[in-house]
Amino acid sequence: SKQATGNYSTVGHTHSALDLTSGTLDIARLPVGQTATTVAAGNDARFTDARTPTTHATTHNPGGADPVTLVEFFEFTRSSKPAAATGSNGSYSFTIPAAAKMVEFFAIGSGGGGGSGRRGAATTARFGGGGGGSGGVMLITRTVAELASRTVTIFIGAGGAGGAAQTANDTNGNNASNGVDTSLTISGRDHYASRGGGGSGGTAAAGSGGSAGAAMFSGTAGSNSSVTAAPNSSNVLNNAGYSAGGGGAGGGISTGDVSYGGALGRAQGWFIGGVNVSSSGGTAPGGNGQSASDVFTQVLGAQPGGAGAGGAAGNSTTAGGNGGNGANYGGAGGGGGASVNGQNSGAGGNGGDGYVRITVWY
């Protein structure tokens, strides 16, 4: 038999709140009250009293089911730092806030400069300077419980200088300077986003690109001038755009005295929403390579910077074009164009500085 969940009595008869035919509960037959198996009256004080909300827990576990939702960003460049940090000129100390639960460290190494072009006699091969290599990208995530110390030491690397224009006849171009590593010292251990290498000056047979910076996501090497003294645009992006592209090589001049334009520089947006972009190489004779946009920004804030393009080769009446500058952050400089004796070769472009962003979850 079926049991009723609530009974009431009228005129000596006991009626069940459970409909014995359908087995469903008839709420209308339940007695009025404030206990189990009763219903509240319309004027029950519990419908109108002001109840103080229960205090919500403020401590969350990043690794558990209770999500961490509040996020704060702290950005460091060569010339700027958060108010809570100490230091100057790219060297800083920062203490992770006491309430933090999880921390992400994002760093970009600086870019290398581009080499300058060779200056040489007619009917000889004169190569443009090699493009610089871009800085590597590092990404580290830690819970605060994993940190032996909340204090982090930060160093932001400066971009490498481009090779100076060649002013002496029958002389190879000048090499560019390497960038400088960006580093973080976390709980006594050093972590690096390595710098890009500087491009070499153009010769009668070469103009090598700078090396790629090493890190979790490596940078991209700069492009070389080809054996025909034409620029080589093979500075294909590494890591599907997780790092900046290498600098474009400067244009050269062939043994037939044909002047060539500079190679393009490359960059791409970081992770989701990235857009392929490029800086344009200089047009022969003597056009300057385009500098990259100063900051390439997409969905996650500051990004690896674009690379500078190569300058075009000059001719008997026109100096070689200068390479474009790499962008902040980590972009590489473009190589300078070659020139004929009597005209200066093109200078290499400068590399972009490094960068650090610390993201804190509370």
Side-chain angles (χ1 to χ4, degrees):
S1 64
K2 297 181 179 179
Q3 287 292 100
T5 58
N7 299 315
Y8 69 98
S9 298
T10 57
V11 197
H13 297 282
T14 301
H15 299 270
S16 172
L18 183 68
D19 187 324
L20 298 180
T21 301
S22 64
T24 60
L25 184 67
D26 186 351
I27 299 298
R29 294 184 180 183
L30 289 175
V32 174
Q34 296 187 5
T35 61
T37 71
T38 64
V39 295
N43 63 351
D44 193 306
R46 291 172 296 172
F47 291 141
T48 58
D49 67 336
R51 299 198 175 193
T52 303
T54 302
T55 302
H56 179 68
T58 57
T59 302
H60 300 270
N61 177 12
D66 194 10
V68 179
T69 57
L70 182 61
V71 178
E72 191 171 11
F73 300 93
F74 301 91
E75 296 186 289
F76 301 80
T77 71
R78 289 281 302 172
S79 58
S80 66
K81 68 181 189 302
T86 60
S88 61
N89 300 322
S91 295
Y92 308 112
S93 179
F94 178 72
T95 300
I96 304 300
K101 297 297 184 293
M102 186 166 63
V103 188
E104 178 187 83
F105 304 94
F106 172 73
I108 305 173
S110 67
S116 65
R118 175 178 168 79
R119 174 167 163 166
T123 71
T124 64
R126 289 141 286 178
F127 281 53
S134 64
V137 174
M138 175 178 65
L139 188 65
I140 298 172
T141 303
R142 296 283 187 271
T143 64
V144 171
E146 295 176 291
L147 302 177
S149 169
R150 288 177 178 266
T151 300
V152 181
T153 302
I154 298 159
F155 180 78
I156 309 294
Q166 186 50 258
T167 59
N169 287 340
D170 300 313
T171 308
N172 291 334
N174 293 301
N175 295 336
S177 298
N178 296 329
V180 179
D181 296 342
T182 292
S183 65
L184 291 143
T185 303
I186 305 168
S187 296
R189 181 177 178 183
D190 295 332
H191 303 266
Y192 295 94
S194 297
R195 86 295 184 276
S200 65
T203 70
S208 301
S211 59
M216 181 178 183
F217 302 110
S218 64
T220 306
S223 65
N224 308 323
S225 287
S226 73
V227 293
T228 61
N232 181 344
S233 297
S234 63
N235 54 331
V236 178
L237 296 169
N238 278 351
N239 302 307
Y242 298 163
S243 300
I253 307 174
S254 70
T255 56
D257 290 325
V258 177
S259 298
Y260 292 89
L264 58 80
R266 296 290 298 276
Q268 186 178 13
W270 175 261
F271 287 117
I272 304 169
V275 177
N276 284 309
V277 295
S278 61
S279 50
S280 301
T283 301
N288 293 329
Q290 184 180 23
S291 293
S293 298
D294 190 39
V295 177
F296 190 82
T297 303
Q298 277 292 336
V299 293
L300 296 181
Q303 308 301 309
N315 59 19
S316 59
T317 60
T318 306
N322 298 327
N325 295 325
N328 294 332
Y329 302 101
S339 68
V340 178
N341 282 345
Q343 300 289 338
N344 289 344
S345 72
N350 300 323
D353 292 341
Y355 170 82
V356 165
R357 180 177 66 237
I358 298 177
T359 304
V360 176
W361 284 266
Y362 295 99

